[in-house]
Amino acid sequence: MPPLLTINDLSLEFRSEEQINLALNHISFQLFSNEILALVGESGSGKSVTSLSVLQLLGTAAHYTSGQVLFHEKDGSTRDLLHTDAKTLQHIRGNKIAMIFQEPMTSLNPVLTCGEQVMEALLVHKKISRGLAKQKTIEWFEKVKLPNPPAVFSRYPHQLSGGQKQRVMIAMAMCCEPALLICDEPTTALDVTVQKTILDLIKELKEQTGMGVIFITHDLGVVADIADRAIVMYKGEIAEQGTTREIFLHPQHPYTRALIACRPVNHQRGERLPVVADFLEGKKPKQEEIRPVLNTIDNSCLLKVEDLYVHFGKQPSLFRKKQELVKAVDGVNFELFKGETLGLVGESGCGKTTLGRTILRLIEPTSGKILFRGQDLTQKKPEELYELRKELQIIFQDPYSSLNPRLSIGAAISEPMKVHGMIPTEKGRKEKVMELLKKVDLRPEHYNRYPHEFSGGQRQRIVIARALALDPSFIVCDESVSALDVSVQAQVLNMLNDLKKEFGFTVIFISHDLSVVRYFSDRILVMNKGKIVESGAADDIYFHPKQEYTKNLVASIPKGIISN
């Protein structure tokens, strides 16, 4: 059977006035119809650049120094996409080769309804009437299992959940029935249950249409669930390639072995996670580093939440006379002990982030009590809460949006100390910041740099250092590792374990990924629709769930294990 796509000896540089960066170095592979080929690697490995080269979407800074991107069409003709004119490329994009991007909210037009955006692709490429285009759009919304397709047709992107927006993107990519579908990290920030649904959907559509799929991801667990073959990329080169089974059972390159080993799902709770450097540099961790880090928990209750409710009201409109209530947190009760790490897990919209922020009084509760060291935070006036802010800190999901782009990293970390008058002199604060930078594996020269000069993993370490600047006793970690590469995630989790051991702070760890929560937490609370539906020791919840909702969360986790 002839291939659908052939990439031969592809090399690519990004050139600017200051420097030349080699992005791809002699890349070669083939993709066949009715096949899912995974491109795997960390951010910066070259996997997205490879896929964008297929559709020629990299702009004028990209310079190809060698290679071919050959697209083999159904009529037997072959076209080198590197040397195809703009008009022909426009006909191919979305029609014969389609792409699903990582972040649907930035890929969808916020001022057009979801239906109009899918219709546009059909009207441009298929030259059909608007009535037929609308009919086909609703049919595709049904195929991608969107609830109430006619209603979704008239909704705007902001009115849909993350998983629903991703399904709209899949419908838009698939509506012209392309021969080749490129999926660029389409499930990275989704709940594990939504991720499993999307993966199953892509496999199902591949079987129905016979298309070839390039699936880009940093998670080898996802690869095991979806791909026929895999290519592991590292620093712009192919480290190894083979069938998914070969990659998992007999990985040849140390980088591949590192990606498989560093996932929390493969390790005991609190055990040091291996990182890429351990494999590439041949390091062997000391026995005391491998041993699980278990928290020192005493029996004193640090935080007690009693009958907590947080309701949001939707404003009346022309078609909605009565005010609708959204019960984000609906009668929650739990205790948190000093030194403990409590995992809070559930799908998007379950109320876990609202609960975390309400505990810190960043969101006002509707009713209930939040007792911190016996003091009810719901009764505290703003000036009283101001004094308690030193004790209560939060690490947000997106570090870039939580850092001021105009402040250097040194200023961002020292600012809380200055506001709360902890260290009176600038010299003293700078010494403290330097100490914190060292603890989170950053260097002294980073002090005067700005947020945009750091990678995602480094920015996450910066906001962790800022949270620790006030020596807090309680920290809420809100999805603080969910968007990181698995190898960077391992580094951050190792660092948090070390910091917990050194500083002894108490943590609420919020995540939609039960495997990460199980690894990092002592106890777990499972939330669904604003309520706690199950609670218990971390390993009990993970290995012996009682509620059907929890069982589904566990079953949806990509295990990345292939039996002989």
Side-chain angles (χ1 to χ4, degrees), residues 100-101 104 108 114 118 137 140-147 152 160-175 186 190-191 193-199 201-202 205 347:
I100 303 167
F101 294 95
L108 293 170
C114 296
V118 178
T137 297
W140 271 105
F141 283 173
E142 289 172 353
K143 286 183 182 180
V144 299
K145 299 178 174 62
L146 278 163
V152 172
L160 304 183
S161 70
Q164 289 172 339
K165 284 195 283 277
Q166 199 59 277
R167 291 181 207 194
V168 171
M169 285 292 298
I170 292 173
M172 190 187 303
M174 290 297 302
C175 66
L190 299 179
D191 298 331
T193 48
V194 179
Q195 173 178 267
K196 187 175 189 306
T197 304
I198 297 294
L199 295 179
L201 177 61
I202 290 170
L205 292 172
E347 297 173 286

Side-chain angles (χ1 to χ4, degrees), residues 242 321 393:
K321 301 298 182 184
Q393 288 292 303

Side-chain angles (χ1 to χ4, degrees), residues 31-156:
L31 171 72
F32 294 86
S33 295
N34 201 28
E35 178 187 43
I36 298 179
L37 175 66
L39 293 185
V40 194
E42 300 171 282
S43 297
S45 63
K47 56 191 190 297
S48 291
V49 171
T50 301
S51 67
L52 292 170
S53 295
V54 173
L55 285 171
Q56 293 294 284
L57 295 173
L58 289 171
T60 56
H63 293 267
Y64 296 93
T65 56
S66 70
Q68 298 172 304
V69 179
L70 303 176
F71 179 53
H72 309 279
E73 302 212 37
K74 290 180 180 178
D75 61 5
S77 63
T78 297
R79 189 184 303 278
D80 186 352
L81 298 177
L82 293 187
H83 301 97
T84 300
D85 63 89
K87 187 176 180 180
T88 306
L89 278 172
Q90 186 176 0
H91 174 69
I92 290 172
R93 291 174 186 145
N95 186 23
K96 298 179 180 180
I97 303 176
M99 190 164 185
I100 303 167
F101 294 95
Q102 179 172 357
E103 179 43 69
M105 196 62 215
T106 56
S107 305
L108 293 170
N109 190 329
V111 300
L112 293 178
T113 66
C114 296
E116 287 174 321
Q117 296 185 60
V118 178
M119 275 181 61
E120 184 180 26
L122 286 164
L123 292 170
V124 167
H125 293 297
K126 296 302 181 185
K127 310 297 183 187
I128 57 178
S129 67
R130 288 189 64 84
L132 184 56
K134 181 175 181 178
Q135 179 187 328
K136 285 187 172 294
T137 297
I138 293 174
E139 285 174 4
W140 271 105
F141 283 173
E142 289 172 353
K143 286 183 182 180
V144 299
K145 299 178 174 62
L146 278 163
N148 195 351
V152 172
F153 183 93
S154 302
R155 287 179 186 158
Y156 291 88

Side-chain angles (χ1 to χ4, degrees), residues 103 109 163 206 294 307 318 330 387 436 467 482 525:
E103 179 43 69
N109 190 329
K206 186 263 295 185
L294 299 177
D307 294 323
L318 180 64
D330 195 19
E387 288 301 315
L436 287 168
S482 62
L525 304 180

Side-chain angles (χ1 to χ4, degrees), residues 304-319:
K304 188 174 184 180
V305 173
E306 295 181 352
D307 294 323
L308 190 65
Y309 291 84
V310 183
H311 294 172
F312 298 112
K314 289 185 178 178
Q315 294 301 316
S317 67
L318 180 64
F319 302 104

